[in-house]
Amino acid sequence: MEIDPRLLRDCLGNFTTGVTVVTSRTPAGDPHGATVNSFTSVSLTPPLVLVSMGTKSKAAAHLPGQPFAVNVLRREQQSVGLHFAGVPDANADFTWHGAGTPVLADCLATIECAPHDIVSAGDHVLVIGRVERCTVNEGQPLLFYRGDFHHLGHTSTSAPPTPIDTGAPGWHGEVPLYQQPVA
């Protein structure tokens, strides 16, 4: 049975993501960017991240094999996200910086990458980059949910959970099942 692409897109839209602009240079050396919400970490050692984009997109034509940056947008940067998504008259206010890979100023986080691997996956290309530099700034993220931009509502004041890969007890004091002693 074939899955209807529109139904699948609507279903996947229920997964809330952050909003990024992936930037690189065109073959002519000009800065180029594309709004991408399909971004994930892959590995801490070595430090790898992945962006996924449609094979027919302009970004897919420029990005593979090139250094790139993933710019995580702040809640105040919705117009920047719209601009790089190709929305005309988005009134985006942004500044490029960086001598090599172009990056956007004032983002929540920026992850600069060297090309690592490219994987063809159906109508998308998965571009894996090796993280060379990253910066983190204060602020709130811009979110994408069900085809529209959103912001965080209530921000928890609870202490964050202890990462489960440390072996230390987590948020509720339990040790994850895969770390518990075998009887």
Tab-separated table of all heavy atoms in Angstrom, residues 56-111:
chain	number	residue	atom	x	y	z
A	56	LYS	N	15.460	18.699	-5.409
A	56	LYS	CA	15.157	19.740	-6.393
A	56	LYS	C	15.359	21.147	-5.855
A	56	LYS	O	15.188	22.129	-6.573
A	56	LYS	CB	13.719	19.580	-6.889
A	56	LYS	CG	13.502	18.292	-7.661
A	56	LYS	CD	12.072	18.141	-8.123
A	56	LYS	CE	11.908	16.815	-8.838
A	56	LYS	NZ	10.519	16.578	-9.240
A	57	SER	N	15.756	21.277	-4.574
A	57	SER	CA	15.947	22.598	-3.977
A	57	SER	C	17.252	23.227	-4.457
A	57	SER	O	18.202	22.531	-4.835
A	57	SER	CB	15.939	22.503	-2.455
A	57	SER	OG	17.101	21.834	-2.001
A	58	LYS	N	17.290	24.561	-4.439
A	58	LYS	CA	18.519	25.280	-4.797
A	58	LYS	C	19.639	24.929	-3.828
A	58	LYS	O	20.798	24.803	-4.226
A	58	LYS	CB	18.278	26.790	-4.782
A	58	LYS	CG	17.402	27.289	-5.895
A	58	LYS	CD	17.208	28.785	-5.765
A	58	LYS	CE	16.173	29.286	-6.758
A	58	LYS	NZ	15.907	30.729	-6.566
A	59	ALA	N	19.301	24.771	-2.558
A	59	ALA	CA	20.318	24.448	-1.549
A	59	ALA	C	20.978	23.110	-1.853
A	59	ALA	O	22.190	22.961	-1.679
A	59	ALA	CB	19.708	24.436	-0.163
A	60	ALA	N	20.201	22.144	-2.315
A	60	ALA	CA	20.768	20.833	-2.635
A	60	ALA	C	21.753	20.936	-3.797
A	60	ALA	O	22.678	20.130	-3.901
A	60	ALA	CB	19.669	19.837	-2.962
A	61	ALA	N	21.576	21.936	-4.645
A	61	ALA	CA	22.500	22.141	-5.754
A	61	ALA	C	23.807	22.767	-5.273
A	61	ALA	O	24.860	22.541	-5.861
A	61	ALA	CB	21.855	23.022	-6.820
A	62	HIS	N	23.768	23.576	-4.203
A	62	HIS	CA	24.953	24.289	-3.722
A	62	HIS	C	25.670	23.599	-2.572
A	62	HIS	O	26.881	23.719	-2.445
A	62	HIS	CB	24.577	25.700	-3.242
A	62	HIS	CG	24.021	26.585	-4.302
A	62	HIS	ND1	24.699	26.895	-5.449
A	62	HIS	CD2	22.837	27.215	-4.390
A	62	HIS	CE1	23.964	27.684	-6.199
A	62	HIS	NE2	22.822	27.889	-5.580
A	63	LEU	N	24.953	22.913	-1.717
A	63	LEU	CA	25.509	22.469	-0.447
A	63	LEU	C	26.422	21.246	-0.497
A	63	LEU	O	27.489	21.272	0.117
A	63	LEU	CB	24.375	22.233	0.558
A	63	LEU	CG	24.801	22.005	1.988
A	63	LEU	CD1	25.549	23.203	2.549
A	63	LEU	CD2	23.592	21.703	2.847
A	64	PRO	N	26.043	20.165	-1.175
A	64	PRO	CA	26.894	18.964	-1.105
A	64	PRO	C	28.345	19.240	-1.495
A	64	PRO	O	28.635	19.879	-2.501
A	64	PRO	CB	26.226	18.001	-2.080
A	64	PRO	CG	24.788	18.407	-2.053
A	64	PRO	CD	24.840	19.924	-1.958
A	65	GLY	N	29.251	18.805	-0.625
A	65	GLY	CA	30.677	18.970	-0.859
A	65	GLY	C	31.242	20.311	-0.433
A	65	GLY	O	32.440	20.547	-0.558
A	66	GLN	N	30.404	21.204	0.092
A	66	GLN	CA	30.845	22.538	0.495
A	66	GLN	C	30.808	22.686	2.014
A	66	GLN	O	29.950	22.101	2.668
A	66	GLN	CB	29.905	23.603	-0.102
A	66	GLN	CG	29.870	23.641	-1.593
A	66	GLN	CD	31.214	24.036	-2.178
A	66	GLN	OE1	31.887	24.925	-1.675
A	66	GLN	NE2	31.609	23.340	-3.227
A	67	PRO	N	31.706	23.507	2.578
A	67	PRO	CA	31.542	23.862	3.990
A	67	PRO	C	30.191	24.559	4.158
A	67	PRO	O	29.725	25.251	3.241
A	67	PRO	CB	32.691	24.840	4.254
A	67	PRO	CG	33.673	24.590	3.165
A	67	PRO	CD	32.878	24.147	1.980
A	68	PHE	N	29.564	24.377	5.310
A	68	PHE	CA	28.260	25.007	5.549
A	68	PHE	C	28.103	25.313	7.020
A	68	PHE	O	28.850	24.829	7.858
A	68	PHE	CB	27.115	24.131	5.037
A	68	PHE	CG	26.955	22.810	5.736
A	68	PHE	CD1	26.070	22.674	6.809
A	68	PHE	CD2	27.662	21.690	5.324
A	68	PHE	CE1	25.901	21.458	7.448
A	68	PHE	CE2	27.499	20.465	5.952
A	68	PHE	CZ	26.620	20.348	7.019
A	69	ALA	N	27.099	26.142	7.310
A	69	ALA	CA	26.776	26.473	8.701
A	69	ALA	C	25.293	26.245	8.915
A	69	ALA	O	24.476	26.497	8.034
A	69	ALA	CB	27.131	27.920	9.011
A	70	VAL	N	24.952	25.762	10.093
A	70	VAL	CA	23.564	25.621	10.518
A	70	VAL	C	23.331	26.737	11.528
A	70	VAL	O	23.981	26.773	12.580
A	70	VAL	CB	23.296	24.236	11.148
A	70	VAL	CG1	21.850	24.138	11.600
A	70	VAL	CG2	23.644	23.122	10.167
A	71	ASN	N	22.453	27.671	11.189
A	71	ASN	CA	22.137	28.821	12.028
A	71	ASN	C	20.789	28.576	12.687
A	71	ASN	O	19.762	28.548	12.003
A	71	ASN	CB	22.075	30.086	11.169
A	71	ASN	CG	23.367	30.330	10.406
A	71	ASN	OD1	24.259	30.981	10.916
A	71	ASN	ND2	23.475	29.795	9.196
A	72	VAL	N	20.767	28.343	13.984
A	72	VAL	CA	19.526	28.067	14.720
A	72	VAL	C	18.881	29.410	15.045
A	72	VAL	O	19.471	30.244	15.737
A	72	VAL	CB	19.811	27.263	16.005
A	72	VAL	CG1	18.515	26.983	16.757
A	72	VAL	CG2	20.545	25.959	15.669
A	73	LEU	N	17.660	29.610	14.546
A	73	LEU	CA	17.016	30.911	14.663
A	73	LEU	C	16.389	31.145	16.029
A	73	LEU	O	15.856	30.229	16.660
A	73	LEU	CB	15.947	31.082	13.589
A	73	LEU	CG	16.435	31.032	12.138
A	73	LEU	CD1	15.293	31.394	11.188
A	73	LEU	CD2	17.625	31.941	11.903
A	74	ARG	N	16.441	32.401	16.458
A	74	ARG	CA	15.766	32.876	17.662
A	74	ARG	C	14.296	33.147	17.331
A	74	ARG	O	13.955	33.364	16.174
A	74	ARG	CB	16.345	34.217	18.119
A	74	ARG	CG	17.741	34.259	18.505
A	74	ARG	CD	18.112	35.736	18.750
A	74	ARG	NE	19.503	35.852	19.084
A	74	ARG	CZ	19.973	35.775	20.325
A	74	ARG	NH1	19.150	35.611	21.332
A	74	ARG	NH2	21.255	35.861	20.560
A	75	ARG	N	13.491	33.228	18.345
A	75	ARG	CA	12.061	33.513	18.146
A	75	ARG	C	11.837	34.833	17.420
A	75	ARG	O	10.872	34.986	16.692
A	75	ARG	CB	11.301	33.454	19.465
A	75	ARG	CG	11.680	34.577	20.423
A	75	ARG	CD	11.048	34.476	21.776
A	75	ARG	NE	9.615	34.712	21.671
A	75	ARG	CZ	8.741	34.430	22.603
A	75	ARG	NH1	9.142	33.894	23.726
A	75	ARG	NH2	7.478	34.676	22.440
A	76	GLU	N	12.733	35.797	17.574
A	76	GLU	CA	12.598	37.101	16.918
A	76	GLU	C	13.005	37.070	15.442
A	76	GLU	O	12.884	38.074	14.750
A	76	GLU	CB	13.471	38.151	17.635
A	76	GLU	CG	13.116	38.403	19.071
A	76	GLU	CD	13.777	37.419	20.044
A	76	GLU	OE1	14.622	36.582	19.626
A	76	GLU	OE2	13.429	37.477	21.240
A	77	GLN	N	13.490	35.945	14.955
A	77	GLN	CA	14.004	35.862	13.584
A	77	GLN	C	13.053	35.176	12.605
A	77	GLN	O	13.476	34.631	11.593
A	77	GLN	CB	15.363	35.167	13.582
A	77	GLN	CG	16.432	35.967	14.291
A	77	GLN	CD	17.753	35.238	14.330
A	77	GLN	OE1	17.851	34.114	14.813
A	77	GLN	NE2	18.792	35.888	13.809
A	78	GLN	N	11.761	35.247	12.874
A	78	GLN	CA	10.780	34.631	11.976
A	78	GLN	C	10.901	35.185	10.553
A	78	GLN	O	10.820	34.433	9.586
A	78	GLN	CB	9.364	34.829	12.514
A	78	GLN	CG	8.308	34.179	11.645
A	78	GLN	CD	6.934	34.210	12.301
A	78	GLN	OE1	6.816	34.074	13.501
A	78	GLN	NE2	5.910	34.376	11.491
A	79	SER	N	11.097	36.489	10.419
A	79	SER	CA	11.213	37.077	9.077
A	79	SER	C	12.439	36.530	8.347
A	79	SER	O	12.423	36.375	7.128
A	79	SER	CB	11.260	38.605	9.151
A	79	SER	OG	12.418	39.041	9.826
A	80	VAL	N	13.502	36.214	9.076
A	80	VAL	CA	14.698	35.620	8.471
A	80	VAL	C	14.356	34.220	7.956
A	80	VAL	O	14.716	33.853	6.830
A	80	VAL	CB	15.865	35.576	9.479
A	80	VAL	CG1	17.072	34.858	8.903
A	80	VAL	CG2	16.244	36.988	9.921
A	81	GLY	N	13.627	33.438	8.760
A	81	GLY	CA	13.202	32.115	8.332
A	81	GLY	C	12.337	32.184	7.083
A	81	GLY	O	12.497	31.387	6.157
A	82	LEU	N	11.422	33.146	7.042
A	82	LEU	CA	10.556	33.317	5.868
A	82	LEU	C	11.369	33.731	4.643
A	82	LEU	O	11.155	33.219	3.540
A	82	LEU	CB	9.473	34.354	6.157
A	82	LEU	CG	8.379	33.914	7.123
A	82	LEU	CD1	7.521	35.104	7.547
A	82	LEU	CD2	7.517	32.821	6.498
A	83	HIS	N	12.298	34.657	4.835
A	83	HIS	CA	13.127	35.129	3.720
A	83	HIS	C	13.864	33.963	3.063
A	83	HIS	O	13.833	33.810	1.836
A	83	HIS	CB	14.119	36.183	4.217
A	83	HIS	CG	15.136	36.577	3.190
A	83	HIS	ND1	14.852	37.490	2.205
A	83	HIS	CD2	16.418	36.170	2.996
A	83	HIS	CE1	15.928	37.636	1.440
A	83	HIS	NE2	16.886	36.854	1.901
A	84	PHE	N	14.528	33.142	3.873
A	84	PHE	CA	15.318	32.042	3.318
A	84	PHE	C	14.463	30.849	2.907
A	84	PHE	O	14.970	29.916	2.290
A	84	PHE	CB	16.432	31.641	4.291
A	84	PHE	CG	17.549	32.642	4.326
A	84	PHE	CD1	17.657	33.544	5.368
A	84	PHE	CD2	18.466	32.703	3.294
A	84	PHE	CE1	18.678	34.484	5.388
A	84	PHE	CE2	19.491	33.642	3.309
A	84	PHE	CZ	19.596	34.538	4.352
A	85	ALA	N	13.175	30.906	3.215
A	85	ALA	CA	12.237	29.905	2.694
A	85	ALA	C	11.681	30.362	1.339
A	85	ALA	O	10.885	29.663	0.731
A	85	ALA	CB	11.096	29.674	3.681
A	86	GLY	N	12.080	31.561	0.905
A	86	GLY	CA	11.660	32.051	-0.399
A	86	GLY	C	10.385	32.855	-0.395
A	86	GLY	O	9.786	33.079	-1.440
A	87	VAL	N	9.948	33.300	0.786
A	87	VAL	CA	8.742	34.114	0.866
A	87	VAL	C	9.090	35.535	0.440
A	87	VAL	O	9.945	36.173	1.070
A	87	VAL	CB	8.145	34.108	2.294
A	87	VAL	CG1	6.980	35.070	2.401
A	87	VAL	CG2	7.740	32.695	2.678
A	88	PRO	N	8.470	36.036	-0.628
A	88	PRO	CA	8.788	37.395	-1.070
A	88	PRO	C	8.323	38.430	-0.041
A	88	PRO	O	7.352	38.216	0.675
A	88	PRO	CB	8.017	37.549	-2.387
A	88	PRO	CG	7.030	36.441	-2.422
A	88	PRO	CD	7.472	35.386	-1.450
A	89	ASP	N	9.061	39.519	0.034
A	89	ASP	CA	8.723	40.636	0.937
A	89	ASP	C	8.636	40.206	2.391
A	89	ASP	O	7.769	40.656	3.132
A	89	ASP	CB	7.400	41.297	0.514
A	89	ASP	CG	7.451	41.816	-0.914
A	89	ASP	OD1	8.513	42.342	-1.302
A	89	ASP	OD2	6.453	41.681	-1.626
A	90	ALA	N	9.541	39.351	2.818
A	90	ALA	CA	9.529	38.893	4.209
A	90	ALA	C	10.103	39.944	5.157
A	90	ALA	O	10.045	39.766	6.362
A	90	ALA	CB	10.316	37.587	4.344
A	91	ASN	N	10.646	41.035	4.637
A	91	ASN	CA	11.219	42.110	5.459
A	91	ASN	C	12.245	41.586	6.457
A	91	ASN	O	12.241	41.963	7.624
A	91	ASN	CB	10.126	42.889	6.196
A	91	ASN	CG	9.231	43.627	5.234
A	91	ASN	OD1	9.700	44.187	4.248
A	91	ASN	ND2	7.937	43.597	5.501
A	92	ALA	N	13.094	40.696	5.993
A	92	ALA	CA	14.094	40.094	6.863
A	92	ALA	C	15.219	41.073	7.150
A	92	ALA	O	15.720	41.747	6.254
A	92	ALA	CB	14.661	38.835	6.225
A	93	ASP	N	15.601	41.145	8.404
A	93	ASP	CA	16.724	41.962	8.828
A	93	ASP	C	17.805	41.012	9.313
A	93	ASP	O	17.674	40.399	10.375
A	93	ASP	CB	16.283	42.917	9.948
A	93	ASP	CG	17.397	43.838	10.391
A	93	ASP	OD1	18.355	44.047	9.604
A	93	ASP	OD2	17.322	44.345	11.525
A	94	PHE	N	18.851	40.846	8.494
A	94	PHE	CA	19.924	39.936	8.882
A	94	PHE	C	21.253	40.478	8.373
A	94	PHE	O	21.302	41.303	7.468
A	94	PHE	CB	19.687	38.519	8.354
A	94	PHE	CG	19.685	38.412	6.858
A	94	PHE	CD1	20.855	38.142	6.171
A	94	PHE	CD2	18.522	38.584	6.136
A	94	PHE	CE1	20.868	38.058	4.793
A	94	PHE	CE2	18.515	38.497	4.763
A	94	PHE	CZ	19.698	38.229	4.080
A	95	THR	N	22.321	39.980	8.993
A	95	THR	CA	23.670	40.373	8.612
A	95	THR	C	24.497	39.104	8.433
A	95	THR	O	24.446	38.205	9.277
A	95	THR	CB	24.312	41.243	9.722
A	95	THR	OG1	23.465	42.365	9.954
A	95	THR	CG2	25.696	41.709	9.324
A	96	TRP	N	25.250	39.047	7.341
A	96	TRP	CA	26.193	37.952	7.118
A	96	TRP	C	27.497	38.295	7.826
A	96	TRP	O	27.888	39.452	7.888
A	96	TRP	CB	26.535	37.811	5.632
A	96	TRP	CG	25.437	37.412	4.724
A	96	TRP	CD1	24.764	38.226	3.859
A	96	TRP	CD2	24.895	36.115	4.543
A	96	TRP	NE1	23.832	37.508	3.162
A	96	TRP	CE2	23.893	36.198	3.550
A	96	TRP	CE3	25.161	34.871	5.118
A	96	TRP	CZ2	23.155	35.103	3.130
A	96	TRP	CZ3	24.419	33.782	4.690
A	96	TRP	CH2	23.437	33.884	3.711
A	97	HIS	N	28.189	37.291	8.327
A	97	HIS	CA	29.564	37.484	8.767
A	97	HIS	C	30.309	36.183	8.572
A	97	HIS	O	29.732	35.149	8.269
A	97	HIS	CB	29.666	38.043	10.201
A	97	HIS	CG	29.183	37.144	11.279
A	97	HIS	ND1	30.000	36.253	11.917
A	97	HIS	CD2	27.966	36.999	11.853
A	97	HIS	CE1	29.314	35.595	12.833
A	97	HIS	NE2	28.081	36.023	12.818
A	98	GLY	N	31.596	36.235	8.684
A	98	GLY	CA	32.429	35.061	8.443
A	98	GLY	C	33.154	35.189	7.116
A	98	GLY	O	32.529	35.439	6.097
A	99	ALA	N	34.468	35.033	7.145
A	99	ALA	CA	35.266	35.159	5.929
A	99	ALA	C	35.138	33.930	5.043
A	99	ALA	O	35.115	34.041	3.832
A	99	ALA	CB	36.724	35.391	6.301
A	100	GLY	N	35.029	32.761	5.661
A	100	GLY	CA	34.902	31.524	4.887
A	100	GLY	C	33.436	31.181	4.682
A	100	GLY	O	32.763	31.728	3.816
A	101	THR	N	32.948	30.315	5.521
A	101	THR	CA	31.536	29.940	5.461
A	101	THR	C	30.698	31.102	5.970
A	101	THR	O	30.934	31.601	7.068
A	101	THR	CB	31.272	28.697	6.333
A	101	THR	OG1	32.122	27.645	5.892
A	101	THR	CG2	29.829	28.254	6.243
A	102	PRO	N	29.713	31.546	5.185
A	102	PRO	CA	28.888	32.655	5.674
A	102	PRO	C	27.966	32.180	6.798
A	102	PRO	O	27.407	31.091	6.728
A	102	PRO	CB	28.082	33.063	4.444
A	102	PRO	CG	28.016	31.835	3.606
A	102	PRO	CD	29.284	31.079	3.876
A	103	VAL	N	27.867	32.982	7.842
A	103	VAL	CA	26.957	32.683	8.948
A	103	VAL	C	26.078	33.900	9.187
A	103	VAL	O	26.430	35.020	8.806
A	103	VAL	CB	27.706	32.270	10.234
A	103	VAL	CG1	28.501	30.993	10.020
A	103	VAL	CG2	28.609	33.368	10.723
A	104	LEU	N	24.940	33.679	9.805
A	104	LEU	CA	24.026	34.762	10.134
A	104	LEU	C	24.324	35.267	11.539
A	104	LEU	O	24.523	34.465	12.461
A	104	LEU	CB	22.574	34.283	10.052
A	104	LEU	CG	22.108	33.863	8.665
A	104	LEU	CD1	20.721	33.230	8.738
A	104	LEU	CD2	22.095	35.052	7.718
A	105	ALA	N	24.332	36.570	11.695
A	105	ALA	CA	24.592	37.174	13.001
A	105	ALA	C	23.378	37.014	13.909
A	105	ALA	O	22.249	36.897	13.430
A	105	ALA	CB	24.926	38.655	12.825
A	106	ASP	N	23.623	36.991	15.199
A	106	ASP	CA	22.592	37.043	16.237
A	106	ASP	C	21.671	35.829	16.293
A	106	ASP	O	20.532	35.936	16.756
A	106	ASP	CB	21.753	38.324	16.101
A	106	ASP	CG	22.606	39.573	16.194
A	106	ASP	OD1	23.542	39.588	17.030
A	106	ASP	OD2	22.358	40.524	15.439
A	107	CYS	N	22.123	34.680	15.857
A	107	CYS	CA	21.298	33.473	15.960
A	107	CYS	C	21.415	32.870	17.361
A	107	CYS	O	22.326	33.206	18.112
A	107	CYS	CB	21.732	32.447	14.913
A	107	CYS	SG	21.302	32.957	13.246
A	108	LEU	N	20.511	31.985	17.687
A	108	LEU	CA	20.532	31.302	18.975
A	108	LEU	C	21.785	30.423	19.082
A	108	LEU	O	22.421	30.341	20.123
A	108	LEU	CB	19.261	30.468	19.138
A	108	LEU	CG	18.988	29.879	20.491
A	108	LEU	CD1	18.887	30.945	21.560
A	108	LEU	CD2	17.698	29.066	20.450
A	109	ALA	N	22.121	29.775	17.979
A	109	ALA	CA	23.332	28.951	17.915
A	109	ALA	C	23.777	28.881	16.458
A	109	ALA	O	22.960	29.009	15.548
A	109	ALA	CB	23.071	27.547	18.457
A	110	THR	N	25.070	28.680	16.272
A	110	THR	CA	25.621	28.509	14.927
A	110	THR	C	26.593	27.345	14.970
A	110	THR	O	27.432	27.255	15.867
A	110	THR	CB	26.339	29.781	14.452
A	110	THR	OG1	25.419	30.865	14.475
A	110	THR	CG2	26.875	29.606	13.041
A	111	ILE	N	26.451	26.458	13.988
A	111	ILE	CA	27.279	25.256	13.904
A	111	ILE	C	27.953	25.281	12.535
A	111	ILE	O	27.283	25.138	11.517
A	111	ILE	CB	26.426	23.989	14.075
A	111	ILE	CG1	25.643	24.074	15.384
A	111	ILE	CG2	27.277	22.735	13.999
A	111	ILE	CD1	24.382	23.257	15.403
